[in-house]
Amino acid sequence: MLIRIRPFAMALFASAGLLLSQSQQEMNRQAEADAAVADKKLNAAYQKAMADLDDEGKALLKASQRAWLAYRDAEAARVADEMRDGSAAPLLYAGTLATLTKERTARLNEASGESEEEGEPAGAESVKKAGALF
């Protein structure tokens, strides 16, 4: 039986910088730490984007951000559900949060005129490589 790992799941493991010698709990904690760092960068990009807008633009961005956060959290829960009750579910949840948050940060940075390098999601190269494998 051939086991096929989805490119997205492979990218989560690769982008989190996980080593085979780490325990599952260590990998979960690292993924959670990566998600927290990504969230801080998102908040900074959001504040910068808000500073550049008039009142109407601020209201639209705020509504967009709230809707995006709901989507991000729901999507992370959906991905983690693929390993329901498994020890890797927290890794998938946090990894998805980090990946989606980095993508959103890149978009906000682009809107604010920040360099794309700052907004490049970590592991984007791994995603491209993984996609080429399948």
Side-chain angles (χ1 to χ4, degrees):
M1 175 189 222
L2 178 65
I3 298 175
R4 189 166 187 200
I5 299 175
R6 293 184 178 165
F8 185 72
M10 287 180 58
L12 289 176
F13 286 103
S15 69
L18 305 174
L19 302 173
L20 293 175
S21 63
Q22 287 182 311
S23 71
Q24 186 64 55
Q25 292 78 17
E26 290 169 328
M27 290 188 288
N28 292 349
R29 281 192 298 275
Q30 181 62 52
E32 290 167 4
D34 291 347
V37 168
D39 201 50
K40 287 181 183 180
K41 290 180 180 181
L42 173 67
N43 288 331
Y46 176 77
Q47 292 303 321
K48 170 101 174 78
M50 287 292 274
D52 296 338
L53 299 172
D54 60 15
D55 289 342
E56 185 177 348
K58 286 179 183 179
L60 290 170
L61 180 56
K62 185 176 182 179
S64 171
Q65 189 70 1
R66 285 183 174 171
W68 178 83
L69 287 167
Y71 158 76
R72 179 198 66 178
D73 294 347
E75 180 64 6
R78 184 198 65 78
V79 170
D81 190 56
E82 292 178 15
M83 292 278 206
R84 185 179 301 157
D85 299 326
S87 62
L91 175 67
L92 291 176
Y93 182 82
T96 302
L97 285 181
T99 299
L100 294 175
T101 300
K102 289 171 185 176
E103 291 171 1
R104 177 67 173 183
T105 300
R107 287 193 182 103
L108 290 174
N109 283 334
E110 288 173 14
S112 298
E114 294 292 316
S115 75
E116 288 187 35
E117 290 178 8
E118 280 293 313
E120 180 73 8
E125 190 61 33
S126 298
V127 171
K128 292 174 191 170
K129 288 180 185 176
L133 295 174
F134 294 95

